[in-house]
Amino acid sequence: MAIVLGIESTAHTFGVGIVRDGKILSNKRDMYTTESGGIIPMDSAKHHREVSSKVYSEAVLESGIDEKRIDAIAFSQGPGLPPCLLEGIKFAKKLSKKLGKPLVPVNHCVAHLEIGKLTGAKDPVLLYCSGANTQVISYASGKYRVFGETLDTGVGNFIDNFARYAGIGFPGGPKIEKLALQGKEYIELPYTVKGMDVAFSGILTNLKQKIESGKYKIEDLSYSMQETVFAMLVETAERALAHIGKKDLVLGGGVACNSRLQEMSKIMCKERNAKFFCPERSLLVDNGAMIAYLGEIMFNSGISFLGKKAEEMDIKPRERTDEVEVKWRK
Ligand code: AMP
Ligand code: MG
């Protein structure tokens, strides 16, 4: 029905994807990285500025379509880091002007949920586990609602912090996953679930003390950390499924690339007769295709801004999913 281009720029990734009739034609990205970890927002924004034209050209080339055939330009409006979001919206506005096509503002978290439908999920609960975000989200009574979330840091940032303390480079997640495979002994750690919310700062302090004591192997600590923290996440997702009476679970975010988290989620779903969906890696992490995918659905329902209205659009760095006005579904 439409060809929509999506731009992602909320944090470290600048991505461009193109979707036609719900099918992904291309999905290109370039990620800002640092030696020691941690995003410096202004540097990440500079990265986005420098790679945007290249990533755009690659995405158009891969899609095999002429840019003139693009019907609308979707972009991540929020939540995210303001300097990074600004680069995305600037690029989107420039393109909108050049092609004479409207803008479609997309909420990044909702896009993580909706892309799960491409893998077959119908009306899922999203367990969103990224660097800065940790949320359990689902659509209910006219809005995408946050049923549970972290009370302090995102799970990815927590894992990276633990890794940094253990002298492991950034990003810590994939390296910790490998170390955890060699862990043999389960070491008890604080387990912090409050209803459908989770918290990590107490566990981090405890882990730091254990590293300092020199009594534990990092492999065992990595293994125990994963078992504990992923059990917390899966527990909140299960409670949300039960609470809202939904049958599909979708994973999203960089931490969801972890095989053990996937396995534990799968087991939980099986036990309660729910279906488990895990998008492929390129769609789990931040990417332009998911923005284009939701952008097309929104565009087809009549949401688009052209000319002066497009020029006046702004970023929404702190937008929450339940603030999103949902006009495209019942
Ligand atoms: P995102 O913010 O969604 O891009 O995700 C980035 C976060 O995912 C970082 O904190 C990474 O350490 C984490 N991450 C990536 N791969 C893995 C993995 N295999 N296991 C655990 N965490 C991971
Ligand atoms: Mg994300």
Side-chain angles (χ1 to χ4, degrees), residues 32-73:
Y32 156 82
T33 50
T34 52
E35 292 280 304
S36 55
I39 298 181
I40 301 162
M42 293 307 282
D43 286 354
S44 185
K46 181 165 170 272
H47 160 269
H48 294 356
R49 202 156 53 238
E50 286 167 0
V51 304
S52 53
S53 294
K54 178 200 75 167
V55 177
Y56 171 76
S57 304
E58 285 172 359
V60 171
L61 191 70
E62 189 179 72
S63 73
I65 58 144
D66 188 330
E67 63 175 8
K68 293 191 193 76
R69 290 180 56 207
I70 293 167
D71 295 305
I73 297 134

Side-chain angles (χ1 to χ4, degrees), residues 161-288:
N161 222 314
F162 162 60
R164 198 173 314 149
Y165 211 78
I168 296 161
F170 177 85
K175 289 167 192 152
I176 294 289
E177 179 174 14
K178 284 210 184 83
L179 286 168
L181 288 173
Q182 291 149 34
K184 289 190 179 69
E185 195 193 339
Y186 179 77
I187 300 153
E188 196 155 330
L189 295 168
Y191 185 96
T192 326
V193 172
K194 293 176 181 152
M196 282 182 260
D197 293 332
V198 290
F200 301 109
S201 57
I203 310 173
L204 186 61
T205 305
N206 190 287
L207 281 166
K208 283 180 176 174
Q209 286 165 349
K210 288 200 161 66
I211 292 171
E212 270 170 24
S213 77
K215 283 193 222 149
Y216 304 91
K217 283 199 186 124
I218 188 65
E219 289 84 356
D220 289 339
L221 286 176
S222 301
Y223 162 68
S224 307
M225 182 282 287
Q226 285 200 170
E227 293 303 305
T228 307
V229 166
F230 294 166
M232 287 164 47
L233 295 171
V234 172
E235 181 186 330
T236 57
E238 178 168 23
R239 194 159 293 142
L241 284 167
H243 178 73
I244 339 166
K246 297 216 175 169
K247 286 274 167 208
D248 291 358
L249 179 72
V250 166
L251 293 185
V255 180
C257 295
N258 187 291
S259 304
R260 181 61 181 145
L261 177 59
Q262 292 177 10
E263 186 184 22
M264 287 167 78
S265 306
K266 204 185 283 175
I267 293 167
M268 178 274 282
C269 285
K270 201 170 172 206
E271 281 175 357
R272 58 174 298 111
N273 253 331
K275 284 192 189 143
F276 171 69
F277 298 91
C278 186
E280 63 179 75
R281 199 191 145 78
S282 63
L283 298 175
L284 268 183
V285 297
D286 288 351
N287 67 91

